[in-house]
Amino acid sequence: MKHVDPASLSLRDLFRIEAEEQTKALTQALLALEKDPAQSDMLECCMRAAHSLKGAARIVGIQPAVTVAHAMEDLFVLAQGGGVVLAPAQIDLLLSGVDLLSALAGQGEGENGFDEDIWQGDAERFAAALSSAPVPCEAAAMPPLPPVPAATEKTALEKPGEADRALRVSAENLNRLLDMAGESLVETRRLAPLEQSLLRLKRMQHQASAAIDALKAALPADLLDERATAALEEARRRLFDCRRQLAGGMDELEASNHRTTNLAHRLYNQALMVRMRPFADAMTAFPRMVRDIARELGKQVRFEVLGERTQVDRDILEKLDAPLGHLLRNALDHGMESPEERLAAGKPAEGFVRLEASHQAGALQINVSDDGRGIDPEAIRRAVIARGLAAPDTAVRLSEAELLEFLFLPGFTMKSDVTEISGRGVGLDIVQEMIRQVRGRVRIISRHGEGTRFRLELPLTLSVVRALLVDIGGEPYAFPFAHIAGAMKLRADQVRTVEGRQHILIDGQAVGLVGAHQVLGCAPPDGVPEELCAVLLGAGEQMFALVVDGFTGGRELVVQPLDPRLGKIKDISAASLTEDGAPLLIVDVEDMLRSLEKLAATDRLAPVGREIGVEAAARRKRVLVVDDSFTVRELQRKLLDHHGYEVEVAVDGMDGWNALRHGGFDLVVSDIDMPRMDGIELVRRIRHDPALKALPVMILSYKDREEDRLRGLEVGADYYLTKGSFQNDALIDAVIDLIGESAA
């Protein structure tokens, strides 16, 4: 939040700020009254909010807002006196009035910004509709509600902690404060190595003193005259004085280290709390949204929010609105059954959708759950086959967890019809992308017929990460603890080889062994180690054991974003500094898992301890296949592999661009229509890159119009073929024409 001087704001700006807060309070109170119209504190809250808005609008001179707020206030006063009980129809009208007030507050000044006559007409129609709304018959028998003492009432307009003194501080200053606090936290760890070096010095002094004693005992008595004896005693005395002074200094350093570390932790925690906001701050719009969508769909839903006071990093909280909105809409449209369906299934007519936030094991966990129909794995399997995302024989073997992952693919949807609420296949891919941006992960737990839960696991803050430090090729790398399944040391006899692939057994499951040097493209160390250090990545059948050179230990790292000019670096998410100030890279575990899966799918896993080697790479010419269709990628891979070419695949243009910058390829075969980056843009980037501009590129597309072919060739493609070429040798002939036959 940027610092704003109220004196610099116009009256309309001030009204806009007040209207934002008051309309939120009105919405929350009206939704509460819809569940229980007899809540006197909520009626009082509504009346005060409407009264405040009316007064503010009158001062600013926005007459339509005065008309709307006055009509609402009259109804609230009538309800407080027992003259009416607010029914759902009246709640609908009042909520539309809240929307009208929000719209009025957002109107700009000037001739083109606000036409008061048009808005006044809308306001008067609202007031007339509100005054003519039918009064429920039970209102006549309802006794007047007791007045709420103004001195003791705590309305919804009051927020926890509002009695505390508040200051406006810019987001930039808050970020700088937290960064400095995080750096101080890391800096305190530099004292530990110093303390260890002084301890070693103390031991060396003790050994020197013992050596002098041994020398004195070994020398013949006739050589130890008074002068030599005095010199030895002086040396011993000086060493003793040094040891005593060193011991005192070490005690002081230890105490100082303890105090400094404690202070740094307190400073960081306090700075972090300044950035924190309650989870409820991001939830204000969701109760209304859930109510409106449920009514539109004809479904009965009880919406629950738990953990409203859970503290969330402001930057993460700001990114939650769209993902949580998508998950809630999916729960209402896809998950929740109609009342008739629920009754037929033995469920109550009213279902629930629950949004819950909590801190678990040093991380933020958010659950979006419902008790609806759940997700049918077989329906996903049929959709996967129908959309050509996997061959039928492959789809049959997919586990339930693997099938659920398809829900996160862009454009994937289980609905055959498109509505304003869902059905376009847009949503879950956005959720997953946001979670990856903040170094989190999302999981789906579903029981068909019983309900679904989406679990979002997020870091508490984006500034500091707890990570496992490892050594790979003489360089330090960090694996965030939240993204690894574990770490272990392996003996040589634990490694098994089946059909040329190495693996280990973990709980009876075979886990593939992959060398980090192969993934990152660095040289392995000389010699064969006695034991292997492995970091476990992924889960279930998609777990890998990544072999590194050694473990350095766990650390808290201040995250430093990479220069945006570098773009997305394959397998790397950010950078940091070690205790001695040396730079290190933080691994993007999700990206590395995709790299591991591609290596495994293309049979290119090299045995651990043996480099792929330049000679092996030279025997087979390398082709990069870029296509967002799993089926097309596999067809091309098998066809090219059959003719002796080494093939690597990429799922879209961005993935292909990252692969090109980190591996030497002889040819690129790319589709055109792909998410994130299309084939035309990929070819354009290749032709503008000094290191890649001479690389042969072939476009293979379903588009067979002449203008499409010319467009591809104009940006620099060497060949343009249609995907019908799979039926003959045109693809292989074109590859041979461009790069020749494979040497293997």
Side-chain angles (χ1 to χ4, degrees), residues 695-737:
L695 179 66
V697 179
M698 180 192 306
I699 288 180
L700 191 64
S701 173
Y702 282 117
K703 295 184 175 181
D704 57 0
R705 297 180 305 174
E706 181 64 18
E707 54 265 36
D708 296 322
R709 189 183 71 84
L710 291 175
R711 182 169 171 243
L713 295 176
E714 284 172 358
V715 295
D718 299 281
Y719 258 89
Y720 190 103
L721 297 179
T722 63
K723 292 185 178 179
S725 300
F726 280 127
Q727 307 304 321
N728 51 48
D729 295 329
L731 175 62
I732 296 301
D733 290 343
V735 172
I736 294 174
D737 188 31

Short mmCIF file of all heavy atoms in Angstrom, two decimals, residues 695-737:
data_model
loop_
_atom_site.label_atom_id
_atom_site.label_comp_id
_atom_site.label_asym_id
_atom_site.label_seq_id
_atom_site.Cartn_x
_atom_site.Cartn_y
_atom_site.Cartn_z
N LEU A 695 20.59 -22.78 -37.04
CA LEU A 695 20.00 -24.08 -36.74
C LEU A 695 18.84 -24.38 -37.70
O LEU A 695 17.92 -23.57 -37.83
CB LEU A 695 19.48 -24.09 -35.29
CG LEU A 695 18.81 -25.36 -34.80
CD1 LEU A 695 19.79 -26.52 -34.74
CD2 LEU A 695 18.20 -25.13 -33.41
N PRO A 696 18.83 -25.53 -38.38
CA PRO A 696 17.70 -25.86 -39.26
C PRO A 696 16.40 -26.02 -38.46
O PRO A 696 16.40 -26.61 -37.38
CB PRO A 696 18.13 -27.19 -39.88
CG PRO A 696 19.61 -27.23 -39.74
CD PRO A 696 19.91 -26.51 -38.46
N VAL A 697 15.31 -25.50 -39.01
CA VAL A 697 14.01 -25.56 -38.34
C VAL A 697 12.96 -26.03 -39.34
O VAL A 697 12.89 -25.53 -40.47
CB VAL A 697 13.60 -24.18 -37.78
CG1 VAL A 697 12.22 -24.28 -37.11
CG2 VAL A 697 14.63 -23.66 -36.79
N MET A 698 12.14 -26.99 -38.91
CA MET A 698 11.05 -27.49 -39.73
C MET A 698 9.73 -27.26 -38.98
O MET A 698 9.64 -27.55 -37.79
CB MET A 698 11.23 -28.99 -40.00
CG MET A 698 10.11 -29.59 -40.85
SD MET A 698 10.16 -31.41 -40.84
CE MET A 698 11.85 -31.69 -41.36
N ILE A 699 8.74 -26.73 -39.68
CA ILE A 699 7.40 -26.58 -39.11
C ILE A 699 6.54 -27.74 -39.59
O ILE A 699 6.48 -28.03 -40.79
CB ILE A 699 6.77 -25.23 -39.49
CG1 ILE A 699 7.47 -24.10 -38.73
CG2 ILE A 699 5.28 -25.22 -39.19
CD1 ILE A 699 6.92 -22.73 -39.04
N LEU A 700 5.87 -28.39 -38.62
CA LEU A 700 4.97 -29.50 -38.94
C LEU A 700 3.62 -29.15 -38.33
O LEU A 700 3.46 -29.15 -37.11
CB LEU A 700 5.52 -30.80 -38.35
CG LEU A 700 4.84 -32.10 -38.80
CD1 LEU A 700 5.03 -32.33 -40.28
CD2 LEU A 700 5.41 -33.28 -38.02
N SER A 701 2.63 -28.80 -39.16
CA SER A 701 1.38 -28.23 -38.66
C SER A 701 0.19 -28.85 -39.37
O SER A 701 0.29 -29.36 -40.49
CB SER A 701 1.39 -26.72 -38.87
OG SER A 701 0.14 -26.15 -38.54
N TYR A 702 -0.96 -28.79 -38.69
CA TYR A 702 -2.22 -29.20 -39.32
C TYR A 702 -2.69 -28.17 -40.35
O TYR A 702 -3.49 -28.47 -41.23
CB TYR A 702 -3.31 -29.37 -38.27
CG TYR A 702 -3.20 -30.65 -37.48
CD1 TYR A 702 -2.99 -30.64 -36.10
CD2 TYR A 702 -3.31 -31.89 -38.11
CE1 TYR A 702 -2.89 -31.81 -35.38
CE2 TYR A 702 -3.21 -33.07 -37.40
CZ TYR A 702 -3.01 -33.03 -36.02
OH TYR A 702 -2.90 -34.20 -35.33
N LYS A 703 -2.20 -26.93 -40.23
CA LYS A 703 -2.62 -25.86 -41.15
C LYS A 703 -1.96 -26.08 -42.51
O LYS A 703 -0.74 -26.07 -42.62
CB LYS A 703 -2.22 -24.50 -40.58
CG LYS A 703 -2.95 -24.15 -39.28
CD LYS A 703 -2.59 -22.76 -38.81
CE LYS A 703 -3.41 -22.36 -37.58
NZ LYS A 703 -3.10 -21.00 -37.12
N ASP A 704 -2.78 -26.27 -43.52
CA ASP A 704 -2.23 -26.57 -44.84
C ASP A 704 -2.58 -25.50 -45.89
O ASP A 704 -2.44 -25.72 -47.08
CB ASP A 704 -2.72 -27.94 -45.33
CG ASP A 704 -4.24 -28.02 -45.36
OD1 ASP A 704 -4.90 -27.02 -45.01
OD2 ASP A 704 -4.76 -29.10 -45.72
N ARG A 705 -3.02 -24.32 -45.42
CA ARG A 705 -3.30 -23.25 -46.37
C ARG A 705 -2.00 -22.62 -46.86
O ARG A 705 -0.99 -22.63 -46.15
CB ARG A 705 -4.18 -22.18 -45.72
CG ARG A 705 -5.56 -22.66 -45.28
CD ARG A 705 -6.34 -21.54 -44.64
NE ARG A 705 -5.61 -20.94 -43.54
CZ ARG A 705 -6.01 -19.86 -42.86
NH1 ARG A 705 -7.13 -19.26 -43.22
NH2 ARG A 705 -5.30 -19.39 -41.87
N GLU A 706 -2.04 -22.06 -48.05
CA GLU A 706 -0.85 -21.47 -48.64
C GLU A 706 -0.35 -20.30 -47.80
O GLU A 706 0.85 -20.12 -47.61
CB GLU A 706 -1.15 -21.01 -50.07
CG GLU A 706 0.05 -20.39 -50.79
CD GLU A 706 1.18 -21.38 -51.01
OE1 GLU A 706 0.92 -22.61 -50.93
OE2 GLU A 706 2.31 -20.93 -51.26
N GLU A 707 -1.30 -19.48 -47.27
CA GLU A 707 -0.87 -18.33 -46.47
C GLU A 707 -0.18 -18.77 -45.18
O GLU A 707 0.73 -18.10 -44.69
CB GLU A 707 -2.05 -17.40 -46.15
CG GLU A 707 -3.24 -18.08 -45.49
CD GLU A 707 -4.29 -18.49 -46.52
OE1 GLU A 707 -3.89 -18.89 -47.63
OE2 GLU A 707 -5.47 -18.40 -46.19
N ASP A 708 -0.63 -19.92 -44.62
CA ASP A 708 0.03 -20.44 -43.42
C ASP A 708 1.46 -20.89 -43.74
O ASP A 708 2.40 -20.64 -42.97
CB ASP A 708 -0.76 -21.61 -42.83
CG ASP A 708 -2.13 -21.19 -42.34
OD1 ASP A 708 -2.23 -20.08 -41.78
OD2 ASP A 708 -3.09 -21.94 -42.53
N ARG A 709 1.61 -21.57 -44.87
CA ARG A 709 2.93 -22.06 -45.27
C ARG A 709 3.88 -20.88 -45.51
O ARG A 709 5.03 -20.88 -45.07
CB ARG A 709 2.81 -22.91 -46.53
CG ARG A 709 4.09 -23.65 -46.91
CD ARG A 709 3.91 -24.41 -48.20
NE ARG A 709 3.82 -23.49 -49.34
CZ ARG A 709 4.89 -22.99 -49.96
NH1 ARG A 709 6.11 -23.32 -49.57
NH2 ARG A 709 4.74 -22.16 -50.97
N LEU A 710 3.39 -19.83 -46.19
CA LEU A 710 4.23 -18.67 -46.46
C LEU A 710 4.60 -17.95 -45.17
O LEU A 710 5.73 -17.45 -45.04
CB LEU A 710 3.49 -17.71 -47.41
CG LEU A 710 3.31 -18.20 -48.85
CD1 LEU A 710 2.47 -17.21 -49.65
CD2 LEU A 710 4.67 -18.41 -49.52
N ARG A 711 3.66 -17.89 -44.23
CA ARG A 711 3.94 -17.23 -42.95
C ARG A 711 5.07 -17.93 -42.21
O ARG A 711 5.96 -17.30 -41.64
CB ARG A 711 2.68 -17.21 -42.10
CG ARG A 711 2.82 -16.51 -40.76
CD ARG A 711 1.48 -16.30 -40.11
NE ARG A 711 1.59 -15.84 -38.75
CZ ARG A 711 1.17 -16.50 -37.68
NH1 ARG A 711 0.58 -17.69 -37.84
NH2 ARG A 711 1.31 -16.01 -36.48
N GLY A 712 5.04 -19.27 -42.23
CA GLY A 712 6.08 -20.03 -41.57
C GLY A 712 7.44 -19.86 -42.23
O GLY A 712 8.46 -19.72 -41.55
N LEU A 713 7.46 -19.86 -43.55
CA LEU A 713 8.72 -19.73 -44.26
C LEU A 713 9.28 -18.31 -44.15
O LEU A 713 10.50 -18.12 -44.11
CB LEU A 713 8.53 -20.11 -45.74
CG LEU A 713 8.15 -21.57 -46.00
CD1 LEU A 713 7.88 -21.80 -47.49
CD2 LEU A 713 9.25 -22.53 -45.51
N GLU A 714 8.38 -17.31 -44.06
CA GLU A 714 8.84 -15.93 -43.99
C GLU A 714 9.58 -15.63 -42.69
O GLU A 714 10.49 -14.81 -42.66
CB GLU A 714 7.66 -14.97 -44.14
CG GLU A 714 7.18 -14.85 -45.59
CD GLU A 714 5.88 -14.06 -45.69
OE1 GLU A 714 5.35 -13.65 -44.62
OE2 GLU A 714 5.40 -13.84 -46.81
N VAL A 715 9.19 -16.28 -41.59
CA VAL A 715 9.89 -16.03 -40.33
C VAL A 715 11.20 -16.80 -40.23
O VAL A 715 11.97 -16.59 -39.29
CB VAL A 715 9.00 -16.38 -39.11
CG1 VAL A 715 7.80 -15.47 -39.05
CG2 VAL A 715 8.61 -17.84 -39.11
N GLY A 716 11.45 -17.71 -41.19
CA GLY A 716 12.75 -18.36 -41.21
C GLY A 716 12.76 -19.86 -41.17
O GLY A 716 13.83 -20.47 -41.06
N ALA A 717 11.58 -20.53 -41.24
CA ALA A 717 11.57 -21.99 -41.25
C ALA A 717 12.17 -22.50 -42.56
O ALA A 717 11.99 -21.91 -43.62
CB ALA A 717 10.15 -22.52 -41.08
N ASP A 718 12.90 -23.63 -42.48
CA ASP A 718 13.52 -24.22 -43.66
C ASP A 718 12.56 -25.14 -44.41
O ASP A 718 12.71 -25.35 -45.61
CB ASP A 718 14.77 -25.00 -43.26
CG ASP A 718 15.81 -24.11 -42.61
OD1 ASP A 718 16.51 -23.40 -43.33
OD2 ASP A 718 15.89 -24.10 -41.35
N TYR A 719 11.62 -25.74 -43.66
CA TYR A 719 10.63 -26.64 -44.27
C TYR A 719 9.28 -26.36 -43.63
O TYR A 719 9.19 -25.96 -42.46
CB TYR A 719 11.00 -28.10 -44.02
CG TYR A 719 11.65 -28.80 -45.20
CD1 TYR A 719 13.03 -28.77 -45.38
CD2 TYR A 719 10.89 -29.51 -46.12
CE1 TYR A 719 13.64 -29.42 -46.44
CE2 TYR A 719 11.49 -30.17 -47.18
CZ TYR A 719 12.86 -30.12 -47.35
OH TYR A 719 13.44 -30.77 -48.39
N TYR A 720 8.22 -26.59 -44.39
CA TYR A 720 6.85 -26.49 -43.85
C TYR A 720 6.09 -27.72 -44.34
O TYR A 720 5.81 -27.86 -45.53
CB TYR A 720 6.16 -25.22 -44.31
CG TYR A 720 4.84 -24.95 -43.60
CD1 TYR A 720 4.74 -24.00 -42.59
CD2 TYR A 720 3.68 -25.66 -43.94
CE1 TYR A 720 3.55 -23.75 -41.95
CE2 TYR A 720 2.49 -25.43 -43.30
CZ TYR A 720 2.42 -24.47 -42.30
OH TYR A 720 1.23 -24.23 -41.65
N LEU A 721 5.80 -28.65 -43.42
CA LEU A 721 5.06 -29.86 -43.76
C LEU A 721 3.77 -29.91 -42.96
O LEU A 721 3.67 -29.36 -41.86
CB LEU A 721 5.90 -31.11 -43.44
CG LEU A 721 7.21 -31.30 -44.21
CD1 LEU A 721 7.90 -32.56 -43.73
CD2 LEU A 721 6.95 -31.37 -45.71
N THR A 722 2.77 -30.60 -43.51
CA THR A 722 1.54 -30.84 -42.77
C THR A 722 1.64 -32.16 -42.05
O THR A 722 2.44 -33.03 -42.42
CB THR A 722 0.33 -30.87 -43.72
OG1 THR A 722 0.49 -31.95 -44.62
CG2 THR A 722 0.21 -29.56 -44.48
N LYS A 723 0.82 -32.33 -41.01
CA LYS A 723 0.92 -33.53 -40.20
C LYS A 723 0.41 -34.78 -40.91
O LYS A 723 0.56 -35.89 -40.42
CB LYS A 723 0.20 -33.33 -38.86
CG LYS A 723 0.93 -32.30 -37.99
CD LYS A 723 0.33 -32.15 -36.62
CE LYS A 723 1.15 -31.16 -35.80
NZ LYS A 723 0.62 -30.92 -34.45
N GLY A 724 -0.18 -34.60 -42.07
CA GLY A 724 -0.52 -35.75 -42.89
C GLY A 724 0.71 -36.46 -43.41
O GLY A 724 0.64 -37.59 -43.90
N SER A 725 1.89 -35.82 -43.29
CA SER A 725 3.13 -36.43 -43.77
C SER A 725 3.54 -37.64 -42.95
O SER A 725 4.47 -38.35 -43.31
CB SER A 725 4.26 -35.39 -43.73
OG SER A 725 3.94 -34.29 -44.55
N PHE A 726 2.86 -37.88 -41.83
CA PHE A 726 3.14 -39.09 -41.06
C PHE A 726 2.80 -40.35 -41.86
O PHE A 726 3.27 -41.43 -41.55
CB PHE A 726 2.33 -39.11 -39.76
CG PHE A 726 2.93 -38.25 -38.69
CD1 PHE A 726 2.17 -37.29 -38.07
CD2 PHE A 726 4.25 -38.40 -38.31
CE1 PHE A 726 2.71 -36.49 -37.08
CE2 PHE A 726 4.80 -37.61 -37.32
CZ PHE A 726 4.02 -36.64 -36.70
N GLN A 727 1.96 -40.21 -42.85
CA GLN A 727 1.53 -41.38 -43.60
C GLN A 727 2.56 -41.82 -44.64
O GLN A 727 2.40 -42.82 -45.30
CB GLN A 727 0.19 -41.08 -44.30
CG GLN A 727 -0.88 -40.54 -43.37
CD GLN A 727 -1.14 -41.49 -42.20
OE1 GLN A 727 -1.15 -42.70 -42.39
NE2 GLN A 727 -1.33 -40.94 -41.01
N ASN A 728 3.61 -41.04 -44.85
CA ASN A 728 4.62 -41.43 -45.83
C ASN A 728 6.00 -41.05 -45.32
O ASN A 728 6.16 -40.72 -44.14
CB ASN A 728 4.33 -40.78 -47.19
CG ASN A 728 4.11 -39.27 -47.05
OD1 ASN A 728 4.89 -38.60 -46.41
ND2 ASN A 728 3.04 -38.77 -47.66
N ASP A 729 6.98 -41.05 -46.18
CA ASP A 729 8.36 -40.80 -45.78
C ASP A 729 8.76 -39.34 -45.92
O ASP A 729 9.95 -39.01 -45.85
CB ASP A 729 9.31 -41.66 -46.62
CG ASP A 729 9.11 -43.14 -46.34
OD1 ASP A 729 8.73 -43.46 -45.20
OD2 ASP A 729 9.35 -43.95 -47.26
N ALA A 730 7.77 -38.45 -46.10
CA ALA A 730 8.10 -37.04 -46.34
C ALA A 730 8.86 -36.43 -45.16
O ALA A 730 9.79 -35.65 -45.34
CB ALA A 730 6.83 -36.24 -46.62
N LEU A 731 8.44 -36.78 -43.92
CA LEU A 731 9.11 -36.21 -42.75
C LEU A 731 10.57 -36.64 -42.69
O LEU A 731 11.47 -35.81 -42.53
CB LEU A 731 8.38 -36.63 -41.47
CG LEU A 731 9.06 -36.19 -40.16
CD1 LEU A 731 9.14 -34.68 -40.06
CD2 LEU A 731 8.33 -36.77 -38.95
N ILE A 732 10.82 -37.94 -42.81
CA ILE A 732 12.20 -38.43 -42.74
C ILE A 732 13.02 -37.90 -43.91
O ILE A 732 14.19 -37.54 -43.74
CB ILE A 732 12.21 -39.98 -42.71
CG1 ILE A 732 11.53 -40.48 -41.44
CG2 ILE A 732 13.64 -40.51 -42.77
CD1 ILE A 732 12.17 -39.99 -40.16
N ASP A 733 12.42 -37.84 -45.09
CA ASP A 733 13.15 -37.30 -46.24
C ASP A 733 13.56 -35.85 -45.99
O ASP A 733 14.67 -35.44 -46.34
CB ASP A 733 12.28 -37.38 -47.50
CG ASP A 733 12.09 -38.82 -47.97
OD1 ASP A 733 12.88 -39.69 -47.53
OD2 ASP A 733 11.15 -39.07 -48.75
N ALA A 734 12.64 -35.08 -45.38
CA ALA A 734 12.96 -33.68 -45.10
C ALA A 734 14.06 -33.57 -44.06
O ALA A 734 14.95 -32.71 -44.16
CB ALA A 734 11.70 -32.95 -44.61
N VAL A 735 14.01 -34.43 -43.03
CA VAL A 735 15.06 -34.42 -41.99
C VAL A 735 16.42 -34.75 -42.61
O VAL A 735 17.43 -34.09 -42.35
CB VAL A 735 14.71 -35.41 -40.87
CG1 VAL A 735 15.88 -35.56 -39.90
CG2 VAL A 735 13.47 -34.95 -40.11
N ILE A 736 16.45 -35.79 -43.46
CA ILE A 736 17.71 -36.18 -44.11
C ILE A 736 18.20 -35.05 -45.01
O ILE A 736 19.41 -34.76 -45.08
CB ILE A 736 17.51 -37.48 -44.91
CG1 ILE A 736 17.22 -38.65 -43.95
CG2 ILE A 736 18.74 -37.78 -45.76
CD1 ILE A 736 16.87 -39.94 -44.65
N ASP A 737 17.27 -34.38 -45.68
CA ASP A 737 17.64 -33.28 -46.56
C ASP A 737 18.28 -32.14 -45.77
O ASP A 737 19.19 -31.47 -46.26
CB ASP A 737 16.40 -32.80 -47.31
CG ASP A 737 16.75 -31.77 -48.39
OD1 ASP A 737 17.86 -31.86 -48.94
OD2 ASP A 737 15.92 -30.88 -48.65
#
